[in-house]
Amino acid sequence: MTTFREQRTAPDGTHDATVARLEQGNAQLRHAVDSHATVDQAIGVLAATRRIPSAAGFEVLREVSQYTNIKLHTVAETVIACALGQPLPEPVDQELDAAVQRRSRRGQTPDRPE
């Protein structure tokens, strides 16, 4: 036997407010998971194309984001698009090269992992 429990709205509207808050939290969580996956993919692209350790990939993306004032997930999307044949915008390309060079000077090269 299946029972059906009908959701009832409290007189003060707290049920509606709770549902709205939960839906907003759910949407934020979905966005965070999607952004994380994009960043992880971009780290893989950097490891393959720029020959940096994957552990340094996040720092490179973070630095590019900070120096170009572009959100991290947008930088990651741009790096992925470049791997698929799209040109990198000039400021991102320059900062990406600079960030990779900084990692190399710190001894974080494929031959000498972090």
Side-chain angles (χ1 to χ4, degrees):
M1 179 175 161
T2 303
T3 60
F4 177 78
R5 185 183 299 180
E6 184 177 324
Q7 299 266 335
R8 296 183 195 173
T9 303
D12 62 358
T14 54
H15 173 72
D16 291 337
T18 301
V19 168
R21 186 174 39 80
L22 290 172
E23 287 174 345
Q24 180 183 17
N26 211 4
Q28 289 171 344
L29 184 58
R30 277 193 303 272
H31 177 71
V33 167
D34 290 344
S35 284
H36 187 77
T38 301
V39 170
D40 282 346
Q41 289 172 6
I43 290 169
V45 167
L46 291 176
T49 61
R50 301 294 177 125
R51 298 184 44 87
I52 62 171
S54 58
F58 179 78
E59 293 303 317
V60 167
L61 290 174
R62 184 184 58 79
E63 288 178 19
V64 171
S65 173
Q66 287 179 335
Y67 288 120
T68 60
N69 198 28
I70 299 171
K71 293 203 177 273
L72 180 68
H73 73 272
T74 303
V75 171
E77 289 170 347
T78 303
V79 168
I80 293 167
C82 177
L84 297 173
Q86 297 291 321
L88 275 175
E90 190 63 31
V92 173
D93 191 28
Q94 288 176 350
E95 288 303 328
L96 192 57
D97 286 341
V100 169
Q101 288 299 318
R102 284 190 293 272
R103 294 280 157 227
S104 295
R105 284 194 303 269
R106 293 180 190 149
Q108 298 172 347
T109 61
D111 299 327
R112 293 177 53 193
E114 295 179 46

